[in-house]
Amino acid sequence: MSFYSQPTGTSPTKSYYGNTPNNANNTAFYNSQPNSTHPNNVPNNVTNNVTNNTNYAQQQQQQQQQPQHYQQQHNQHNQQIPANPSQWATSAATAFLSSSGTSNDAMLDMGANLASGFANSTAARFMPGAQGFWGNLKYYFDVTNTYVLKKMGRLLFPWTITSWRRVQGTGNPTSNPTYARPSSDLNAPDLYIPLMSLTTYVLLASLLYGVGGEFTPDVLQDVMVGCMITQLLEVSLIKSGYYMLQTTVPWLDLFSYTGYKYPGLCVNMISGITLGYTGYLISLLYTASSTGYFNLKTYANNVPKVQVKEGGVKREFVVLGFAATQVFTIWWMGKTKHME
């Protein structure tokens, strides 16, 4: 605060303009005194008041601009700080790679590799067999459009097939045999066709229930669960037969072979919806025969021939039983309730 010193014996008087320059305070003081004379001998009091008001307005404007300037600096500083703490590492990595001349694509590749390595190590640590299972599962979905079309023809018309042996891959054919992928071998088992045909069959069965006026959302669940339970029991039975033959076969191979009945089931459902119950029976006789024959030839040419002990189960009967299960299940799983 500024004060103007009065003559000796007089107390100083506080300026009513607040923090103003000394000259402005002096001017304000002399203007407030009656019959006083300004030190600068300016006779026009109106001019002095205008000058004082102008200086005061400028000071007020400067005081208002200072908080805005500080607020802008604060906002810029906050924008530079990531709001999410997890972005600190990304920001630091980006700054480092930018300074070292590394492109954004290289940074993304590096991050993807780190994330993939972390996921694989975590899966291998907490689920030791998961990584191997997913690696094996990829084999059964390595299909092409050509493979799917030709394989569907082989399933519906197996009488035209002349070669049933699978193509050997790398590895020891006796101790550790490996086979070519489905995209390179039509005799290789896959899970793409069984999965897609199962989905189609569930939808066709639901359509049949809808035609009969009894469709509910539970129909989808009931048909799907029934198919999965039947196939699981079928695979367990075939696996027991392989055990009696003292040989092994991958579980996924069995799910693939037993899933090849779903294309025939789809044909049966389409025939029943369009041609009625009589058309369904004719289609059932054909698809059951073709599916049974396909599985008989597949098992006969791909089940290893082992030396069976005297009195043991013969391989021919076991293979024939495998094919018979397909004929039974394709009849058992048929939906004929609303066919006329």
Side-chain angles (χ1 to χ4, degrees):
M1 306 296 293
S2 300
F3 298 92
Y4 178 76
S5 298
Q6 297 272 345
T8 305
T10 306
S11 61
T13 303
K14 183 178 179 180
S15 173
Y16 62 90
Y17 282 102
N19 295 328
T20 55
N22 293 330
N23 293 333
N25 292 335
N26 298 336
T27 303
F29 173 77
Y30 278 101
N31 290 335
S32 62
Q33 301 295 327
N35 300 326
S36 62
T37 303
H38 192 277
N40 294 330
N41 296 323
V42 179
N44 192 351
N45 292 331
V46 176
T47 303
N48 295 335
N49 291 333
V50 171
T51 302
N52 295 335
N53 292 334
T54 303
N55 293 335
Y56 176 75
Q58 291 177 355
Q59 290 181 358
Q60 293 294 328
Q61 185 177 3
Q62 290 177 359
Q63 291 178 0
Q64 293 177 359
Q65 290 177 355
Q66 285 181 356
Q68 294 178 359
H69 177 70
Y70 294 146
Q71 184 66 27
Q72 292 177 358
Q73 290 181 347
H74 180 70
N75 294 337
Q76 293 176 359
H77 179 69
N78 290 337
Q79 291 177 359
Q80 295 176 357
I81 300 176
N84 189 353
S86 62
Q87 298 177 356
W88 280 95
T90 304
S91 302
T94 304
F96 172 75
L97 293 174
S98 300
S99 62
S100 59
T102 306
S103 62
N104 292 333
D105 294 338
M107 182 182 66
L108 293 176
D109 293 339
M110 183 184 301
N113 293 333
L114 291 175
S116 177
F118 176 77
N120 292 334
S121 61
T122 303
R125 181 178 179 182
F126 293 99
M127 296 179 292
Q131 188 173 1
F133 174 78
W134 290 114
N136 294 333
L137 193 62
K138 293 179 181 179
Y139 170 90
Y140 296 91
F141 287 92
D142 185 11
V143 299
T144 60
N145 294 333
T146 303
Y147 169 85
V148 173
L149 293 176
K150 291 184 177 181
K151 192 61 174 259
M152 291 292 294
R154 293 166 73 92
L155 292 173
L156 297 176
F157 305 99
W159 338 102
T160 61
I161 304 175
T162 57
S163 175
W164 295 90
R165 288 285 182 180
R166 296 178 62 178
V167 178
Q168 291 284 344
T170 58
N172 192 337
T174 56
S175 61
N176 186 23
T178 58
Y179 300 98
R181 293 177 175 270
S183 57
S184 304
D185 182 16
L186 290 176
N187 291 321
D190 72 281
L191 290 174
Y192 177 81
I193 292 177
L195 181 61
M196 295 296 104
S197 56
L198 171 61
T199 305
T200 305
Y201 171 70
V202 172
L203 295 177
L204 289 174
S206 302
L207 176 62
L208 184 62
Y209 275 86
V211 172
E214 295 185 5
F215 174 79
T216 60
D218 294 335
V219 172
L220 296 171
Q221 178 181 351
D222 295 340
V223 176
M224 178 67 72
V225 172
C227 292
M228 295 178 65
I229 293 177
T230 303
Q231 187 173 0
L232 183 60
L233 294 175
E234 187 180 6
V235 169
S236 301
L237 181 61
I238 296 176
K239 190 68 173 179
S240 301
Y242 274 104
Y243 178 78
M244 290 187 294
L245 292 176
Q246 299 179 358
T247 184
T248 59
V249 65
W251 283 91
L252 294 179
D253 281 10
L254 297 181
F255 277 103
S256 175
Y257 292 140
T258 56
Y260 284 144
K261 61 177 168 289
Y262 292 118
L265 284 169
C266 293
V267 174
N268 296 343
M269 295 300 297
I270 294 174
S271 300
I273 294 173
T274 56
L275 303 177
Y277 185 71
T278 303
Y280 171 82
L281 290 179
I282 296 174
S283 177
L284 174 63
L285 292 175
Y286 179 81
T287 55
S289 301
S290 61
T291 304
Y293 180 79
F294 177 86
N295 281 272
L296 177 64
K297 300 293 289 185
T298 299
Y299 289 124
N301 286 272
N302 294 286
V303 173
K305 295 181 179 181
V306 296
Q307 185 68 28
V308 181
K309 295 181 181 180
E310 186 177 355
V313 180
K314 292 185 178 181
R315 176 179 178 272
E316 290 76 11
F317 292 119
V318 174
V319 172
L320 186 62
F322 291 167
T325 58
Q326 300 299 303
V327 178
F328 173 76
T329 54
I330 201 172
W331 166 78
W332 173 260
M333 297 174 63
K335 304 295 182 181
T336 60
K337 181 177 180 181
H338 301 286
M339 292 183 184
E340 298 179 357

